[in-house]
Amino acid sequence: MKLNLEQIPREETLSKKEFIQKYFKPQKPVVIERFIEDWPAYSKWSLDYMKDVAGEKEVPLYDDRPVKHDEGFNEPHAKMKMREYIDLLKSKPTKYRIFLWNVLKEVPQLQKDFSYPDFGLPLMKGLPMLFFGGSNSHTFMHYDIDLANIFHFHFEGKKQCILFSQSETKFLYKIPHSLITREDIDFDAPDLDKWPALKHAKGHVAQLEHGNVLYIPEGYWHHMKYVTPGFSMSLRAIARKPKNFGKAVYNIFFMRHFDNLMRRLKGQEWIDWKNEEAVVRTERLLAQK
């Protein structure tokens, strides 16, 4: 038995008015297939190009190891020169990913290759972030700390994206005081006997290729799997719904600091309790269904 996922709608292109009416207002995801063909990045950006322009930059790398109590928030698992990392991506599968790499800060010249599109939402122009991954590498199922509206532009290779709205959180085995689900759930091929609540979750899936843009509504859970080596860029707009904006403020100014404090005080005991509590809370909510 597989997850209950429907294909995300695909549009060849969208006007601002169409996007706002059909997708932003109802908070529905969409893939726009041919929106950035006028960007220089559309024809220029590839792994080889990134190696040329950023090869000597040291980049933070992440893999899929479980969260440890003695690791800081978003602390990288390794570091490597970009040219070495891209050589690794192209030579063999690797779990290492680049996560939240700021284009403006690291390689300012890359900003000349794209423009900030007018989707009818004010984009945070200081935070264009790049994400890289090798074949079969993936993120944990998570949602972003600021619950932003995300526009995810994919370059090179193929990528699978699974999304769930916040309304499905009760079925996802969310870790308390965190932004992730249980890390031992394989959302690409989950064991639904071990994780029965997932049978009730209704989500969305899309395959992205070079030049596709995925709109991820605010606060949506997302799991990204690189089918082949590639990279993406995300632009974001702040959460517009008051409830989501309130959650974002709580996450940024309280939740992550409280979690870090508890890790220091209780160590691995805190991590183990959160993992157990994720199952207890999900089973309790499932019993109330």
Side-chain angles (χ1 to χ4, degrees), residues 3-21:
L3 290 173
N4 184 3
L5 303 175
E6 65 177 25
Q7 289 291 324
I8 294 174
R10 304 183 76 90
E11 304 267 9
E12 184 167 312
T13 187
L14 278 175
S15 67
K16 176 171 65 175
K17 181 178 180 181
E18 289 170 332
F19 168 74
I20 293 292
Q21 293 297 325

Side-chain angles (χ1 to χ4, degrees), residues 12-270:
E12 184 167 312
T13 187
L14 278 175
S15 67
K16 176 171 65 175
K17 181 178 180 181
E18 289 170 332
F19 168 74
I20 293 292
Q21 293 297 325
K22 294 176 67 174
Y23 299 105
F24 173 69
K25 284 186 175 179
Q27 286 289 281
K28 294 181 178 180
V30 62
V31 175
I32 312 172
E33 296 181 332
R34 302 185 62 184
F35 191 80
I36 63 169
E37 292 182 3
D38 60 338
W39 285 9
Y42 178 77
S43 57
K44 290 170 64 176
W45 282 19
S46 66
L47 291 173
D48 287 336
Y49 181 70
M50 291 297 167
K51 182 179 176 180
D52 288 342
V53 299
E56 293 305 308
K57 292 287 184 179
E58 187 174 70
V59 293
L61 302 175
Y62 302 81
D63 57 27
D64 58 1
R65 72 187 70 179
V67 170
K68 296 173 62 178
H69 73 276
D70 56 354
E71 291 180 345
F73 188 80
N74 284 343
E75 184 177 323
H77 300 133
K79 293 183 179 180
M80 189 180 295
K81 290 286 183 69
M82 176 65 92
R83 56 179 170 75
E84 296 170 345
Y85 174 63
I86 289 177
D87 286 343
L88 176 63
L89 288 186
K90 299 183 75 171
S91 65
K92 62 182 179 180
T94 176
K95 296 292 187 181
Y96 280 136
R97 296 174 291 106
I98 296 178
F99 171 71
L100 288 176
W101 199 65
N102 191 315
V103 174
L104 290 179
K105 178 181 176 182
E106 301 295 341
V107 191
Q109 73 189 77
L110 290 175
Q111 187 183 4
K112 299 175 183 178
D113 293 339
F114 68 92
S115 57
Y116 292 91
D118 183 4
F119 288 108
L121 303 176
L123 298 173
M124 291 184 266
K125 294 186 177 180
L127 295 174
M129 296 294 186
L130 288 181
F131 304 79
F132 292 70
S135 297
N136 293 320
S137 64
H138 64 86
T139 66
F140 296 125
M141 181 66 75
H142 68 288
Y143 64 94
D144 287 11
I145 193 168
D146 59 356
L147 286 84
N149 293 275
I150 302 168
F151 299 92
H152 198 65
F153 304 81
H154 188 61
F155 298 92
E156 190 156 337
K158 296 181 180 180
K159 191 176 195 179
Q160 176 183 273
C161 307
I162 297 175
L163 309 181
F164 291 98
S165 70
Q166 284 285 317
S167 65
E168 304 303 297
T169 299
K170 55 186 176 290
F171 303 126
L172 299 181
Y173 299 92
K174 179 187 182 297
I175 301 293
H177 310 292
S178 183
L179 309 170
I180 63 174
T181 64
R182 285 276 304 222
E183 297 155 300
D184 46 351
I185 299 175
D186 178 3
F187 275 89
D188 194 39
D191 182 343
L192 298 184
D193 292 325
K194 184 176 182 180
W195 312 108
L198 294 179
K199 298 175 185 178
H200 304 280
K202 296 180 180 180
H204 313 266
V205 65
Q207 300 284 337
L208 300 185
E209 297 185 353
H210 183 90
N212 289 174
V213 184
L214 171 64
Y215 167 60
I216 305 175
E218 53 193 61
Y220 263 52
W221 292 90
H222 42 285
H223 174 277
M224 306 296 200
K225 176 186 175 183
Y226 292 85
V227 181
T228 63
F231 65 101
S232 309
M233 179 179 73
S234 283
L235 301 178
R236 55 209 304 113
I238 62 171
R240 304 292 286 273
K241 291 186 175 182
K243 182 178 180 181
N244 289 338
F245 184 79
K247 284 183 180 178
V249 171
Y250 170 81
N251 290 341
I252 294 169
F253 293 104
F254 179 77
M255 184 274 291
R256 67 175 173 176
H257 300 294
F258 173 74
D259 186 53
N260 284 335
L261 173 64
M262 294 303 290
R263 290 189 198 193
R264 290 196 297 271
L265 293 176
K266 290 184 172 290
Q268 190 60 37
E269 179 186 347
W270 173 246

